[in-house]
Amino acid sequence: MKQAVLTGAHYLTGDEACAEGALAAGCRFFGGYPITPATEVAERISERLPEVGGTFIQMEDEIAAMASILGASCAGVKSMTATSGPGFSLMMENIGLGIVTETPCVVVNVQRAGPSTGLPTMGAQADMMQAKWGSHGDYEIIALAPSSPQEIFYQTITAFNLSETYRLPVLIMTDEIVGHMSEKVVIPDAKEIKTVSRITPKGKKDNFKPFKPGPNGIAPMPAAGDGYKVHFTGLTHDEKGYPVMTVEAQAMMMAQLMNKIRNNLDKIIMTERYRLDDAEIAIISYGVSSRTSLAAVDEARQMGIRAGLLRLITVWPFPDDQIRRLANQVKGFITVEINLGQIHYEVQRCAGYRVPAYLVGHPGGTIISPDEVIKVLKEAF
Amino acid sequence: MPEPSKKISKSPVHPLDDLLRTDRIPHIWCSGCGTGTAFSSCLTAIKASGLELDNVVMISGIGCSGRAAGYVKLDSYHTTHGRAIPFATGMKLANPKLNVIVFSGDGDLFAIGGNHFIHAARRNVDLTVICVNNLNYGMTGGQVAATTPFQAKTSTTTTGNPEAPFNLPLLAYASGATYIARWTILHTRDLTNSIIEALNKKGFSFIEVLSPCPVNYGRRNKEKSLDTLKLYQEKGIIKNNANPADTDIDFEKGIILGKFIDIERATCIENYDKTCRLV
């Protein structure tokens, strides 16, 4: 068997680095369906998985791909799929099944411009609200936004660790630009990579409750074949997993699904601050647009404007508190993202209209240039 | 005279109770529905198959028969509408030791889930798919299905179904299934034997079970529960090895039942291991 962790320096695209990150995290099942610009994740991992004892299958559509990774995860195997806008739309119902059955898995969305078929080969960041609200009903989700091939490698590992810790599908919301760019990716020694696996139950197998939270707020999860005779359903259920069609059962289940995330925001939310300490203007950005923003901050500083950047590594759950605190410090916010206002409105909500919040957006198909950020910066402040 | 044993008279234990989540009974199936009969045939077969029960999994989609996964005391997964087969595919490929049964209805498996059915059969994924075919959507109140006979009445075809139904064994055969049988809930022993064979067979097995839905389909087509069973008895023609092309459901000319296909073909996993694991 070949190595799962390709220690060393490589020249990889974001998509390829994502596949390598998955393998390093312990992913051993991938159910996919080709779609530009995410296809290369599947291509890379289709070659690599059988080398390390895993299984790749190209399913008949994205609905099936999503269903297959849930099935694989319920068999105890870390699993992933990768897609782009149209496929992400098709996966939504089964992402909901993953949420309600608390089944860990990782879903990668290499975003392209939409709506509909849109610009298949050209990037955007316009599925950010779909990531939060795309499946029906109320829920909390975790979504990460890598900005480089190196980062997508690490964030894919983090995504698996979060999904295994909190028992839910975790989304990697990257974009065509990061997915298709080639950069140096350093893969560390396997011993230096921290991986997390779900807590499995020990002890009595009779009348086991697969949805009863343990001391850490998360229920231990047995795999099919472990002898616990579990029942998982998309229906509202009790701790035993049995359907219960009552208002009370709905409230209890929803509290568990929401609170396991809301009670752990400090552990889940990751951001990066750049020249923010004395900033008068806070730029909020994520993914490829945070690279634009980084350049814009330096340029603004050279012009004597005290700008700083808060880069969102975790986009969902949203860092409400950090933005609220910044609202007491800065004169205003600028959100930079390749859409016509998605995270921008979250920033505005958290700023509470105490200070103005502006959008540097784009309908999609290309990156935003630092000049566009500078222009808004000068006009607004 | 010795007193009768209180133990026996007080709490008779059903021989299938150990495979049931008895704390979930009563079930939701209507009086006269055939799903329970197909379900108990399946449980009897699981018991008789000699399989290690910890490794047997039941996966269902949505609908009346989709509720089966909620009553069986095995690892059981009640998934989204139409998606039991791809969920099962992922599970089987992730852990080939598991013996995976998909128990679901005709609407779930052949309308919304039709694409998954043909692809799993094509790949020859080692699954046993049991389809309870009641000729309509029972759970939602009796709408037309991909299996509703031409001209039959349903709540969305009140003047008769203008469309032709699928011939399920033919669809399974054309898609590559390696085991295909059809029975009705009147033929429980044959059905049970077919499920035992399917469980112990490698590859994609498909068993269609005709089952009455008196509350929805029967009511609109002037068939009481017993009428449907009589129809099964009078119009059922047992013809093993029948050509799947001849197995379309036509209650006028008779319905062909039996084991139609039982062939060998390398499974999805065998072919993957041979082709893709080159190391």
Side-chain angles (χ1 to χ4, degrees):
Chain A
M1 233 182 269
K2 290 202 183 170
Q3 279 180 318
V5 180
L6 294 184
T7 305
H10 307 265
Y11 190 60
L12 297 177
T13 65
D15 282 357
E16 291 165 339
C18 178
E20 291 303 329
L23 295 169
C27 172
R28 291 297 177 269
F29 182 89
F30 186 101
Y33 188 80
I35 187 167
T36 306
T39 304
E40 294 87 343
V41 182
E43 286 178 338
R44 176 89 176 194
I45 212 163
S46 72
E47 270 189 49
R48 292 276 286 127
L49 268 172
E51 291 177 355
V52 300
T55 303
F56 168 89
I57 185 166
Q58 184 171 310
M59 296 299 285
E60 51 274 16
D61 57 31
E62 288 93 342
I63 301 172
M66 188 63 216
S68 75
I69 69 166
L70 293 177
S73 180
C74 286
V77 175
K78 289 185 189 177
S79 58
M80 181 170 94
T81 190
T83 189
S84 188
F88 197 52
S89 293
L90 288 178
M91 288 179 183
M92 281 300 151
E93 188 190 11
N94 281 327
I95 287 176
L97 181 65
I99 288 162
V100 90
T101 57
E102 303 191 51
T103 302
C105 61
V106 173
V107 178
V108 183
N109 179 355
V110 188
Q111 296 172 85
R112 65 194 221 188
S116 192
T117 313
L119 300 172
T121 60
M122 299 156 87
Q125 297 177 297
D127 304 345
M128 300 310 296
M129 279 297 165
Q130 188 185 18
K132 176 71 185 83
W133 301 111
S135 195
H136 57 278
D138 219 351
Y139 56 88
E140 286 287 353
I141 194 87
I142 299 176
L144 310 179
S147 62
S148 69
Q150 178 70 68
E151 201 180 28
I152 205 170
F153 172 82
Y154 278 119
Q155 283 195 17
T156 306
I157 298 168
T158 305
F160 272 99
N161 291 350
L162 289 167
S163 85
E164 294 286 321
T165 304
Y166 297 105
R167 272 189 73 175
L168 84 167
V170 171
L171 312 176
I172 299 176
M173 299 297 291
T174 185
D175 53 75
E176 184 275 333
I177 300 122
V178 174
H180 279 168
M181 72 166 67
S182 295
E183 281 184 346
K184 184 178 175 182
V185 175
V186 178
I187 298 181
D189 201 89
K191 280 178 286 188
E192 287 163 38
I193 295 174
K194 184 180 169 259
T195 63
V196 177
S197 294
R198 67 196 71 169
I199 295 172
T200 52
K202 283 159 195 73
K204 210 171 132 252
K205 294 189 175 180
D206 280 353
N207 285 311
F208 178 74
K209 293 180 173 169
F211 300 96
K212 187 184 179 188
N216 66 345
I218 315 296
M221 180 175 171
D226 282 355
Y228 287 87
K229 312 274 197 282
V230 295
H231 182 60
F232 280 36
T233 176
L235 289 163
T236 294
H237 50 260
D238 60 16
E239 290 178 340
K240 205 162 177 197
Y242 286 5
V244 183
M245 301 297 101
T246 65
V247 175
E248 293 75 20
Q250 171 74 3
M252 249 189 93
M253 184 188 77
M254 289 306 293
Q256 167 61 10
L257 296 181
M258 305 302 260
N259 290 341
K260 70 179 179 181
I261 304 302
R262 290 181 177 176
N263 293 341
N264 290 293
L265 294 179
D266 291 348
K267 291 177 204 151
I268 297 168
I269 294 174
M270 296 168 288
T271 58
E272 200 174 76
R273 291 165 64 94
Y274 180 69
R275 302 182 91 162
L276 256 187
D277 289 351
D278 66 340
E280 287 182 333
I281 295 152
I283 296 177
I284 312 295
S285 195
Y286 54 92
V288 72
S289 296
S290 65
R291 296 173 74 148
T292 298
S293 305
L294 209 61
V297 166
D298 287 343
E299 210 173 305
R301 288 274 174 171
Q302 275 174 12
M303 294 159 57
I305 304 169
R306 282 194 288 163
L309 168 67
L310 181 71
R311 182 167 81 90
L312 312 182
I313 296 170
T314 314
V315 176
W316 304 115
F318 195 70
D320 286 28
D321 285 349
Q322 291 187 44
I323 307 279
R324 283 202 191 103
R325 278 200 300 274
L326 276 173
N328 293 325
Q329 172 195 327
V330 298
K331 285 196 292 188
F333 290 95
I334 295 176
T335 302
V336 185
E337 53 183 347
I338 310 173
N339 60 54
L340 297 176
Q342 297 197 9
I343 297 304
H344 162 62
Y345 291 111
E346 289 296 292
V347 173
Q348 207 166 52
R349 175 178 64 79
C350 296
Y353 300 95
R354 274 173 290 173
V355 291
Y358 298 93
L359 166 70
V360 178
H362 192 285
T366 184
I367 55 166
I368 296 168
S369 79
D371 291 350
E372 292 167 75
V373 183
I374 295 292
K375 189 164 161 260
V376 173
L377 236 167
K378 282 205 277 195
E379 278 170 15
F381 302 103
Chain B
M1 253 175 81
E3 277 184 40
S5 160
K6 277 180 190 166
K7 220 177 174 182
I8 292 167
S9 59
K10 209 175 166 188
S11 59
V13 176
H14 191 276
L16 293 175
D17 268 4
D18 53 343
L19 268 172
L20 273 180
R21 298 183 191 273
T22 48
D23 50 348
R24 288 216 60 221
I25 304 297
H27 56 69
I28 63 155
W29 296 315
C30 307
S31 299
C33 171
T35 307
T37 310
F39 182 58
S40 60
S41 252
C42 182
L43 298 189
T44 308
I46 290 168
K47 256 194 140 163
S49 67
L51 295 168
E52 170 59 54
L53 291 181
D54 279 359
N55 289 330
V56 183
V57 180
M58 186 181 282
I59 299 171
S60 288
I62 298 296
C64 297
S65 31
R67 290 301 181 97
Y71 301 127
V72 71
K73 204 159 139 194
L74 296 170
D75 284 320
S76 56
Y77 299 86
H78 179 223
T79 65
T80 42
H81 197 16
R83 319 305 171 199
I85 288 179
F87 187 99
T89 299
M91 183 167 274
K92 178 70 189 176
L93 265 52
N95 182 359
K97 270 189 284 184
L98 299 173
N99 196 308
V100 182
I101 303 165
V102 172
F103 191 102
S104 217
D106 50 305
D108 186 75
L109 288 167
F110 289 100
I112 189 167
N115 195 31
H116 310 308
F117 180 89
I118 59 174
H119 285 279
R122 174 181 65 80
R123 296 182 181 111
N124 202 21
V125 186
D126 189 5
L127 303 174
T128 298
V129 178
I130 299 167
C131 173
V132 177
N133 182 2
N134 62 7
L135 310 179
N136 79 141
Y137 284 86
M139 181 70 93
T140 45
Q143 293 74 38
V144 70
T147 47
T148 305
F150 182 57
Q151 298 294 317
K153 291 187 172 130
T154 71
S155 79
T156 47
T157 56
T158 50
T159 57
N161 178 18
E163 299 176 10
F166 271 137
N167 171 352
L168 300 183
L170 179 61
L171 183 66
Y173 180 61
S175 307
T178 52
Y179 184 99
I180 303 170
R182 173 200 277 153
W183 299 104
T184 80
I185 60 138
L186 201 64
H187 302 78
T188 46
R189 287 193 184 186
D190 300 295
L191 172 62
T192 306
N193 288 337
S194 268
I195 299 174
I196 296 169
E197 283 187 350
L199 287 174
N200 283 306
K201 187 177 170 73
K202 277 191 306 178
F204 189 88
S205 301
F206 171 59
I207 298 165
E208 177 184 7
V209 192
L210 291 174
S211 165
C213 177
V215 171
N216 288 306
Y217 185 84
R219 180 164 54 95
R220 293 191 178 88
N221 292 285
K222 299 193 167 48
E223 256 182 56
K224 296 198 168 151
S225 316
L226 273 180
D227 298 338
T228 310
L229 294 181
K230 266 186 202 149
L231 207 60
Y232 291 165
Q233 188 187 29
E234 287 162 12
K235 295 289 179 182
I237 304 162
I238 297 177
K239 197 175 162 192
N240 289 320
N241 304 312
N243 181 347
D246 300 331
T247 60
D248 54 308
I249 290 182
D250 183 340
F251 284 101
E252 298 298 315
K253 73 173 192 195
I255 296 152
I256 298 179
L257 310 171
K259 179 169 82 173
F260 307 138
I261 299 293
D262 190 354
I263 52 172
E264 299 302 322
R265 186 157 77 86
T267 65
C268 179
I269 293 172
E270 286 167 350
N271 281 331
Y272 184 79
D273 288 347
K274 205 167 82 181
T275 316
C276 306
R277 292 191 202 282
L278 302 174
V279 189

